[in-house]
Amino acid sequence: MATELECPVDFITVNENKVRLTALNVFILAVVYLIIPHWIIPAFLSIDFFLRGFNFGKYSLLNILSEKEVQLFSIKPKPIDQAPKRFAAKIGFIFSVAILAATLFNFISAGIVLAVILTVFAFLESFLGFCAGCYAYTFYNRLFLKSRKQAVN
């Protein structure tokens, strides 16, 4: 049986090239964290992912930086629905908070493992245009719907 992806959709478009530049900036910050695991990096990422994931993207420093990069390099816009990107930002927020907590409580190895996962996802989005958000959303929906159906029966 073939598995079909389910992606959130809200019919509001954003510039995919800007999103990919934001992912590149996340990738860079995550790599820096892997080299120097300091709490300030996941704290910054937590705030930034929160802003982007919960409709305050205009205040996101990484969004602002990416917009400047788009203008500086004269990159043409490529419209894409924002809902999968917002969902992915919410997942990034959860990862960043977990990395921050691991760092603050001196679970450096756990923070590194989570940061590697975040780095891989940021790399996939930035360099390959592959958003793992739809896969996570599909998994989340199937898990949630399955447990919900079982609760009803």
Side-chain angles (χ1 to χ4, degrees):
M1 182 169 110
T3 303
E4 291 187 34
L5 286 179
E6 303 169 23
C7 291
V9 179
D10 64 6
F11 304 105
I12 299 170
T13 59
V14 292
N15 182 353
E16 182 181 14
N17 291 321
K18 179 180 166 187
V19 170
R20 289 178 71 176
L21 285 169
T22 300
L24 175 62
N25 293 323
V26 169
F27 173 78
I28 291 167
L29 287 170
V31 168
V32 170
Y33 174 83
L34 291 172
I35 297 167
I36 307 165
H38 194 276
W39 67 269
I40 197 75
I41 296 169
F44 172 80
L45 287 173
S46 295
I47 293 166
D48 204 78
F49 274 121
F50 176 85
L51 293 170
R52 288 185 282 121
F54 295 96
N55 253 0
F56 300 100
K58 66 182 180 182
Y59 303 111
S60 158
L61 291 178
L62 292 182
N63 257 1
I64 293 167
L65 176 61
S66 297
E67 184 64 39
K68 297 295 181 193
E69 292 167 340
V70 164
Q71 292 170 0
L72 177 67
F73 298 115
S74 301
I75 300 171
K76 294 182 180 181
K78 183 178 177 186
I80 190 168
D81 195 89
Q82 80 169 351
K85 306 308 178 185
R86 282 188 53 219
F87 181 79
K90 290 174 184 175
I91 300 296
F93 170 68
I94 293 167
F95 267 84
S96 297
V97 168
I99 295 166
L100 177 60
T103 305
L104 291 175
F105 291 110
N106 244 0
F107 298 121
I108 302 301
S109 295
I112 296 293
V113 169
L114 292 168
V116 166
I117 295 168
L118 182 65
T119 303
V120 168
F121 287 147
F123 174 86
L124 290 171
E125 175 68 42
S126 177
F127 292 97
L128 304 177
F130 176 85
C131 178
C134 286
Y135 291 90
Y137 185 80
T138 300
F139 176 75
Y140 171 79
N141 273 347
R142 295 210 174 129
L143 183 67
F144 178 72
L145 292 176
K146 182 178 181 181
S147 64
R148 195 170 173 196
K149 284 179 184 176
Q150 289 174 349
V152 172
N153 293 331

